[in-house]
Amino acid sequence: MRNKIVAGNWKMNKNRADTAQLIEELMSAVTPSAAEVMIAPTFVNLAEAVTKLDGSFIEVVAQNMHFAESGAYTGEISADMLQSIGINTVILGHSERRAYFGEDDALLAKKVDAALKAGIRIIFCFGEELQDRKSGDHFKVVGSQLKNGLFHLDGDSWKNIVLAYEPVWAIGTGETASPEQAQEMHAFIRKTIAEAYNNEIAQDVTILYGGSVKPGNAKEIFSKEDVDGGLIGGASLVATDFAAIVAAAQ
Ligand code: PEP
């Protein structure tokens, strides 16, 4: 059965003290809702965030990881390192990783395999750019990111996959896909998975929407049949906004 999730991607924001403060604020502002709640602080603050949120309903997740188990990969972080500090979920394929760090489908497929092998749940991000939508290629682009990143997996592996559809033109821009555009794409994603696997897997996978979700639009977006919550960037850095978005996921 799919479940609701609201996850905050803090990106490269908040130093150690700011992280501690935002966590304090979240602990008093966010109340349990129907959704699983996650935050993704930056790597250096993950361990402390895990300790602070021990026993809380807020899960700490990572923004990225490397595909190798260990070795000469300066600056990188492995699945084992994440698990050793209590991290069991990782965001992979965020459009900023794809755009600024050259992460392509083939690399992401390797990261997906490494995370699953280690038993780490994945929030797999994908979505079209503005020119794809303008040219009418958005379904083709999204379908191919999905296929190239994930369709080599066996059906069982999908239990550890959460999808995050994030149209690049809506990330951090203040532009949001309309609830209808989000629903249309999420339905397409489920149909594509049903065709490649089966209807059960397609119906069971949690599909988040990401792209300028705010307290004012979250409820309408989350009310769509195939939208199971959100991956939140900017608004996850303000405790009261994030709390309101979590509350909107009923
Ligand atoms: C994101 O970075 O995943 C995101 C959705 O950002 P924002 O909410 O700021 O658009």
Side-chain angles (χ1 to χ4, degrees), residues 126-146:
F126 57 112
E128 82 283 2
E129 299 196 21
L130 186 58
Q131 73 256 24
D132 303 321
R133 188 157 277 266
K134 281 192 170 151
S135 64
D137 284 337
H138 44 300
F139 293 115
K140 200 170 102 200
V141 169
V142 163
S144 112
Q145 288 173 332
L146 200 55

Side-chain angles (χ1 to χ4, degrees), residues 104-117:
D104 60 12
D105 291 344
L107 176 75
L108 289 169
K110 282 164 84 171
K111 292 190 174 201
V112 164
D113 290 344
L116 292 178
K117 187 171 171 213

Side-chain angles (χ1 to χ4, degrees), residues 9 11 94 96 166 170-173 210-214 231-235:
N9 175 13
K11 312 190 184 188
H94 192 278
E96 288 149 17
E166 300 206 300
I171 296 180
T173 58
S212 299
V213 176
K214 307 279 179 225
L231 182 56
I232 319 299

Side-chain angles (χ1 to χ4, degrees), residues 151-162:
F151 282 6
H152 62 287
L153 298 177
D154 62 26
D156 229 33
S157 300
W158 280 78
K159 293 194 183 88
N160 275 323
I161 302 286
V162 171

